[in-house]
Amino acid sequence: MDRSTLARKLITWFEANARDLPWRRCRTPYRVWLSEMMLQQTQVDTVIPYFKRFTARFPTVKALADAPLDEVLKLWEGLGYYARARNLHRAAQRVSRERGGHFPKTVEGLMQLPGVGRYSAGAIASLAFGVDAPILDGNVARVLCRIFAIDRDSREAKTRAGLWSLAESLLPKGRAAPFNEGLMELGATVCTPRAPKCEVCPIAAMCEARRRGIQDQLPVGRARKVTPHYDVTAAVIRKNGRVLIAQRPADGMLGGLWEFPGGKRKPGESLEDCLRREIGEELGLEIEVGEPVTTVKHAYTHFRITLHAFECRVASGRPKAIGVADFKWVRMSELDRYAFAVTDRKIIERMKAEG
């Protein structure tokens, strides 16, 4: 295979067919970095409105660094994978306060920033600074596995290392940016996981998987594991026209977000007993559990939950931040000021609907 021809065909196709995305306009290191952080494990269409809101509110890395974390989390609300938002804020502070607002220009330097791995570093280095750095994400791995008919699991370490080397060997000197974007664009719009559009692919004639008629079988995937399910409880505790909310510890799942306090049910435990135990462990309160408010089903990356929310009242005690980072008594009208996970947002929606 003539690799220079492959690169030329891909770049020509990309330049003629690239989607008009907001981070491709007025390209700066800050905007490239921000978009790459948001695009991790998230679809382009989902990211676009968040990117626009972030750049309007935080037009520079300094503006983002100077903002309170709560404000960043609130603006991120609904985008998921909240560790990204915390890492985004930490990285912005490091760039702003330790580097005078200038991002590192090398892959190695970029990987020192919180939340930036090898793929993101390669993307930022090539797109923002013209570095000849390879990239490898799910889209790129799929494209490479099909072009070269690689019939091994692309997530296995040995195969992954080979794909990184292959991606690097394909880079046209001085043109890594359009080549990398071309690979990503091809995987996102043409060489899709199911029903690839081979008839419009600019490099179909060079694709070994298509020649063999096995493009639908690649890349090879692992057998799906059974996704565990958990029942989780949440307490809507009211007092004097206010409701009690708690902030999750910063270093845990959904860290820094606010929630209606509660937690995961243990085997053999009733939902009500679970809620009484969790509120005691988290806030030092004894509560009486009342009527159900709503039930919310939600799927995370590696597990599913059913969240059961109940009306509750304090039987004894005063709240203390034992297993939570903070707590507040707030009016219903004030809830929109705080960043909640999507599950708790649905509880709020039900509460508002019921007045």
Side-chain angles (χ1 to χ4, degrees):
M1 178 184 295
D2 186 341
R3 299 189 177 192
S4 63
T5 300
L6 185 152
R8 177 175 51 78
K9 285 179 175 290
L10 184 62
I11 291 171
T12 300
W13 170 83
F14 172 70
E15 290 175 342
N17 295 275
R19 289 170 292 176
D20 180 20
L21 302 175
W23 44 88
R24 289 176 176 167
R25 309 171 206 151
C26 185
R27 182 169 282 174
T28 66
Y30 170 64
R31 289 168 65 88
V32 171
W33 163 76
L34 178 61
S35 67
E36 289 300 328
M37 296 302 97
M38 288 184 163
L39 287 163
Q40 291 173 2
Q41 298 179 284
T42 307
Q43 294 183 345
V44 165
D45 288 345
T46 302
V47 167
I48 288 173
Y50 284 89
F51 181 84
K52 289 180 176 178
R53 287 197 290 270
F54 258 78
T55 50
R57 173 62 188 86
F58 310 121
T60 65
V61 69
K62 184 180 186 304
L64 177 56
D66 290 345
L69 177 58
D70 280 350
E71 185 178 358
V72 176
L73 289 171
K74 178 62 181 172
L75 210 57
W76 192 277
E77 187 181 61
L79 195 55
Y81 302 100
Y82 289 89
R84 292 182 300 169
R86 298 193 298 274
N87 284 330
L88 188 84
H89 193 239
R90 289 170 53 214
Q93 290 178 331
R94 187 175 298 179
V95 169
S96 179
R97 297 170 188 178
E98 298 177 14
R99 300 184 54 86
H102 299 290
F103 281 84
K105 295 183 178 182
T106 65
V107 169
E108 295 74 19
L110 287 161
M111 288 180 68
Q112 298 304 307
L113 297 178
V116 179
R118 186 178 178 184
Y119 161 77
S120 297
I124 298 164
S126 61
L127 300 180
F129 302 112
V131 176
D132 286 335
I135 58 168
L136 186 72
D137 67 351
N139 281 332
V140 174
R142 181 171 59 257
V143 170
L144 295 181
C145 282
R146 286 173 174 165
I147 294 172
F148 294 93
I150 298 169
D151 59 357
R152 299 180 298 278
D153 187 345
S154 62
R155 290 168 293 189
E156 290 182 352
K158 185 176 180 180
T159 307
R160 202 78 178 169
L163 288 170
W164 272 109
S165 296
L166 180 57
E168 186 167 21
S169 73
L170 293 171
L171 285 176
K173 188 173 182 180
R175 303 217 68 193
F179 178 77
N180 284 343
E181 280 202 292
L183 279 176
M184 291 187 284
E185 194 81 351
L186 192 71
T189 63
V190 175
C191 196
T192 48
R194 286 170 290 281
K197 304 176 184 69
C198 299
E199 66 280 3
V200 297
C201 178
I203 52 176
M206 310 178 78
C207 179
E208 183 63 15
R210 183 170 185 262
R211 187 187 71 80
R212 300 183 194 178
I214 59 172
Q215 63 269 27
D216 289 321
Q217 301 169 34
L218 297 178
V220 174
R222 298 173 183 167
R224 287 184 175 271
K225 294 181 180 179
V226 176
T227 305
H229 172 269
Y230 306 108
D231 283 304
V232 180
T233 58
V236 178
I237 305 172
R238 302 178 192 263
K239 181 180 178 182
N240 299 328
R242 297 174 185 263
V243 64
L244 183 63
I245 60 173
Q247 188 176 37
R248 299 176 68 99
D251 57 353
M253 181 178 172
L254 305 176
L257 295 187
W258 292 83
E259 66 175 0
F260 296 99
K264 186 166 67 175
R265 178 166 66 170
K266 292 182 177 180
E269 194 174 41
S270 71
L271 293 172
E272 293 81 1
D273 285 344
C274 166
L275 198 48
R276 283 187 281 266
R277 173 183 56 77
E278 286 284 348
I279 300 305
E281 292 174 354
E282 292 185 357
L283 292 159
L285 293 174
E286 290 186 13
I287 61 167
E288 293 180 2
V289 181
E291 294 298 312
V293 175
T294 189
T295 299
V296 178
K297 295 187 176 183
H298 187 69
Y300 293 96
T301 306
H302 300 298
F303 62 93
R304 297 175 294 110
I305 68 166
T306 301
L307 177 63
H308 307 267
F310 291 86
E311 290 281 358
C312 299
R313 77 173 189 86
V314 176
S316 66
R318 296 171 64 89
K320 299 180 289 290
I322 301 171
V324 298
D326 197 4
F327 65 87
K328 291 180 185 290
W329 290 100
V330 300
R331 294 185 177 88
M332 281 290 297
S333 60
E334 297 172 330
L335 287 171
D336 286 343
R337 301 177 188 176
Y338 298 89
F340 289 90
V342 64
T343 48
D344 290 85
R345 271 284 155 216
K346 290 180 179 179
I347 296 174
I348 294 170
E349 289 171 8
R350 175 58 64 89
M351 292 165 65
K352 289 181 176 179
E354 294 181 352

